[in-house]
Each structure stands twice: as C-alpha cells, then as structure tokens.
Amino acid sequence: MSSVAINEARTGRRNGPSIMDVARLAGVSGQTVSRVSNQPELVKPATRERVLHAMEKLGYSPNRAARALRDGVYGSIGLLAHRFDRTGEAMTTDAVLRAAETRDLSVTLVSVHEPESEGWAPAAKRLQHQTVDGLIILRSEGDSTEPLALPPRFPVVVSDSRENGQYPSVINDEPIGVRAAVDHLLDLGHRTVHHISGPTDSEPARVRATAWRNRLVAKGVPVVEPIVGDWTADAGYRIGQQIADDPEVTAVLCANDHTAFGLLHALHERGIDVPGDVSVIGFDGISLAAHATPPLTTVRQDFTTMGTELVHLLVDQMNGATTRKHPHVAVPTELVVRESTGPMRRR
Amino acid sequence: MSSVAINEARTGRRNGPSIMDVARLAGVSGQTVSRVSNQPELVKPATRERVLHAMEKLGYSPNRAARALRDGVYGSIGLLAHRFDRTGEAMTTDAVLRAAETRDLSVTLVSVHEPESEGWAPAAKRLQHQTVDGLIILRSEGDSTEPLALPPRFPVVVSDSRENGQYPSVINDEPIGVRAAVDHLLDLGHRTVHHISGPTDSEPARVRATAWRNRLVAKGVPVVEPIVGDWTADAGYRIGQQIADDPEVTAVLCANDHTAFGLLHALHERGIDVPGDVSVIGFDGISLAAHATPPLTTVRQDFTTMGTELVHLLVDQMNGATTRKHPHVAVPTELVVRESTGPMRRR
DNA sequence: TAGAAAAATGTTGACGTCGACATCCTGAGA
DNA sequence: TCTCAGGATGTCGACGTCAACATTTTTCTA
C-alpha cells in the first residue's frame, strides 16, 4: 500500500490538494506558493513558472474555507426570501447575482419557509456567523415591523415596499406608479377605480392598496373596498367572474400582472370588452403583459436597478463606509400605457 | 482604551465570538462547548445550561468556515446556470432550494455569463475547491458535448434536455410531451404541424425541434422547416405576423409558452381565430397559460420534481453511494389540453 | 468503604492559508 | 575579495472547530 493511500485513508482526503502539496512538487515552501497566488510579482519568474506548473498539474486552487477562517471574510452574500420562483424575486435574484459577481462575491440563497411558523429572524440568525458577509433581505410577506435580531453591525440591506427604518433599504417606489395608474384611469373619465389587491399579509400588497386608496381620496373620488386576491391569475379569474356582473365596475387596478391576466380571461369569457366596457391595469411589467389580449397597461418595476442597488448598498456597508444612519434608495416605477385601458363608456 | 478594543484592533475581529469566548464565560473548556453544540447528551445538564446561557449571551454560533476547513465539507451545493430569471431556471432553483434545505444544505448560485466567451468549465472550476460539496448544472445554451473538466470524483448532476453520458443527469422527458402535442394536433385533422423553435444554440430547443420533426416523420406527415425564435413573446409576435399571411399554417407548436403568447397576440390582431383558423400549443406550463386568450394548450414540465431529483442524485453522490456509473432520471412532461387547439378547418 | 467502571471534562493537534518576521542569496561597490 | 543592500524565499503562528486521546470526577458494586 502506498503512502499516499495510507494518507488518504487517515485524513479522509475530502479536500483537494493543498498549498503544501504544490510546494512539495515545486520544491519550494508553502509561502512561496501562496505568494504566487496573491503577489506573483514578488516571486522570481523561474520559480513562479515552476509553481504555476505544479498547481496546474495538481489541479490546485486555494481553499476558500481556510481563507475565510483566516481572514474572517467569506466573499459571499446571503439572499433571503420566501420564494425565488415569482416574478419579482426571480428578476431581483438574477440582478443581484450579476451585481455580486462584478465584485467577486458569490450569492447564497436562503428561503424562509412559512412566515408564521419560522420567522425571518431565526433564518437570518442561522446565517449570521455562517458563510456570508452580508445579507440582502427580500421581504414581502410578514409583518415588516418585526425586528431581525441580527448581530449589531452585521451588514444588511432590505428590499421592502417601504422603509422600516431598521435597516438601509432599497424600495420600489410603488406609490408613484399606482398614482399614475389611478390618474390615468380617472383622466379617461372613469368615476372611480376598483382594486384587486394582493393578500393582506403582504407588505407590497398593502402599500399598493394604500397608495390606491389615498389617491382616490385625494382626487375626491368615491372609494369602493378592494377585493382581496392572492397574486395568482386564478384568483384574478375568480374575482373577474364576480366583477363581470357588476355594472358599476368600469376600471380595475390589479395588484399584479398575473391577477390582471386572470381578470382579462374572466371578462373575455363573459363577453365584456376591454377596454370598451372595463379598463384594466396590472402591476409588475412582466414581459408577457405586452402580449395579453388586449396588451396590458401596467406599472413597470425596475428589478434590475433594484438588484444592483441592493448589492451596492450592502457592499458599502461591508466596506465599513461612513454609513450615515439609514441610506434609502427608491427605485421609481413607471406606468406603461397599452391597450387595456380606454375612455369610460356606460355599460 | 480597553483591552477589548485593543484586541479588536489587532485581530480585526471580523469574526463573531468563538468557542473559546463561550468557554471562558461558562468556565469550561472549549471542547465542552463544542460538545454542547454537537452531542449535548454527553454533557451534564447543569454544565450544559451554563454553556447554553453563555452562548445565548454572546450570540455565539459555530463558525462554518472553521468547520468546513476541519471537515472538508461545506454543507453547501452550487447551482450553475446562465440566468435565473426565466421560468425554467427560476422554478427549478426554487425546488432545488427547498430540497436542499431538507438536507441542511445551503445553495450557492453561480451564473455563467456568456456561453461563448467564458465556458461552463472555468465557472465550474472556479467552484471546485471553493465552497461547495457538489454542483448542479442547469444547462441549456451552449454545446452540450463540451466536457466540464471538473476534478475526478467531484459530485455533479446535470439537468439537461438529454443525457450526455458525462455525468448523472435529470432530464425532462420533453419528447414525450412533444409527441403528445403533435399527435393531438394531427388527431384533430391538421395536415401537419408547424414549429416555432427556440434559439439554435439551445439544447432544449434542439431537443424539442428534433422530437417534433421525428414525430411528423413517423406519422408520415410533411415537415415544414421550423421558424427560429428566441424564447421570447416578442419573437413569437413577430413570427406570428408572418404566419398570419400563410394559409398553409393551421397548427403551430411553440417552443415555449412565452412564444405562444406572442403568437396568439399576433394572430388575434390579424383577426385570425384560435383555434378556429389556427391551433396553438405552448411548452412549459406556466401558470399564466391557463389564462391566455384563449386558454393555452401546453406541455407542462414538472420543475418541482426536477429540482427534487437533482438534489437527490447529488446527495447520493456526495455520500459516496454505490454510484452505478450513470444514473439518469427522466421527469415526464405532460400535455395539458385547453382551448387553443381545435379541429382543422380550411382557412 | 475500597475499587473499578462509567460519566464528565480537559488537552492536543490538524485542517489550509497567509501576514509578520527571519534568513538566505545575489550582485554592486569599495 | 569583502561588505552590504535589496531581492527572494523560508519559518512560525493564528484563525475556530472537533476527533482522539488523557485525565478527573461521579457512581455503583462487592
């Protein structure tokens, strides 16, 4: 049995070749190998070549765990959310990933299962000394006032629908889009605007509903209680079947595009013309909105900027930048007018 | 200046409290603290309490980097893909994440920028000795024959549209869905089925196109060259405007649902009835498909099972299970008939 | 109550890396 | 040929954890 085999048996050899393996092969000390990795200009070209060659042959690459242990830095950021398969989260995740890579950071996903059962705090804590240098929290469901109980000075950025003051945040300026949407419909002559909201435990849903209500009030227009949906097209469809029977409804602002698609479906089925009889506006600006029947007027959110800004703010904190207490960035949303909205016409 | 401050200045103190900090506070040895974390039953209840208390007070939690260094295991898996914001990737990512958490694994995202410029291999290699114990590769674009050049015995599972033999894989059985779709249309009396494909550099796109062609041939039906799209609804729309002028087209199988939405849009605009004049089938089974106008017949992919199986196969490898050379799992796809398909009618 | 088994706790070292410091080598100038 | 600066390379130790082994304390038996 070779000594290598013995060594493997003893150590388990789960790790790849180490700096010492390379050193031995190249006939230099470990430190020189380290220098070749980090400050090659300090090593004589001939030696450098030899080391590089040994690295190549052994398939060496520095062990991140060891580096992390030594430096206390992981080169990684955590991304916390409920789910990652919905429009907003997926788009933001992708943008965060790209922004992080620019800075040589990797991204670790962490999902918080049920908002009720296990709160955000435990999940966040689980990460604390784990493998990330900072945390981006994509919060939507759940009570946004719940404090996160993270260690002091731990870099955190929150993506919320409103500042909660607790942490720096990047918020989507949803009210601005909602106002534009409401105004757009009112300008078209509608007497009021109905609203199909998201679930009540969702912060963005509340923010959108509130902005809608406030705008109607500000315009001196009657407010009809919103109908509660759950973000899904199915809910939009169900609700649409009810709305179809109500001649009072001539303009509907949906909490998101999916809901709008469901609504459009139901109205179409009932032979109600959009925008002839009812105008519909969505929210999110998903790519399919342009190809709804009819093409959907919607409020576009800029998830790319959101992701970029989140990373930016987080990295600032990780670098210990002069953090004036609470930087907040608002990413504007924008009304995109298509063909699902039109002048009011008595039904 | 307090000694704490000095200590912080010297060490940088980037890391949180260590096992020794807890040990000192609780008046025990480091090993006892370690035991409380890992095998609490070996510690006398009274001592255990004291240690737990100290941990709580200090906000201690074990340092993962140190564990990883010692054990050679990171407790983390890497997820490699081009993008994470498209239907398939996003759904799979979410499923992978859930499956991974069940096994106490975290998930690190790695994106491969341009398939051409930087290949998969460098990205994969970058991870190799980095911070993951295994790798899940969500491959779509790029040449699937390119070998990955990973270290031998490194656990890898590939999600591809076809086995490439190189690694264990979980594939979506797309041909089965495609065949069902083609048969469905042919059964409805259509003389042939046209195809709007995905981009030619995409493996799933090729697989779908091939399955479609093969089925037509097998059925002895004339094959018309597919029209190349790019997965987007916009492309579907553009292509739809051309197709609208061609009375030969009575049934179209789209490479994905987005394309189908665009197509539906274009046809609707031209006053071409679906399914009266043209039948349309999508692929993916996104939730919005049920609410297209008309509700879209599509081939549903089971991304949840995909994610679960990927993790399953990967964990098997990580545990060094008796890997009969190449386990391959095929997740079936399924035709979902809705209202966008109907009997052929001469246009 | 001695004696021994069992339970509880402590000590040591190794995982891989790299900063700080020490040592060695080369070549220029005297 | 000798000295010395500077370049090149080497040695040491610390980061936090935990298996293996060592030691101490408790508990039970005869």
Side-chain angles (χ1 to χ4, degrees), chain B residues 27-29 31-32 35 42-44 47 69-70:
Chain B
V28 298
S29 75
Q31 184 57 209
T32 298
R35 271 193 277 263
L42 294 184
V43 178
K44 181 157 58 169
T47 314
L69 173 58
R70 192 182 184 285

Side-chain angles (χ1 to χ4, degrees), chain B residues 161-178:
Chain B
S161 293
R162 61 176 186 198
E163 319 179 357
N164 73 347
Q166 180 104 10
Y167 296 108
S169 64
V170 181
I171 67 174
N172 269 317
D173 192 341
E174 305 181 359
I176 206 179
V178 169

Side-chain angles (χ1 to χ4, degrees), chain A residues 28-29 31-32 35 42-44 47 69-70:
Chain A
V28 297
S29 74
Q31 183 59 215
T32 296
R35 270 192 279 262
L42 293 184
V43 179
K44 182 158 55 170
T47 315
L69 174 58
R70 190 178 187 285

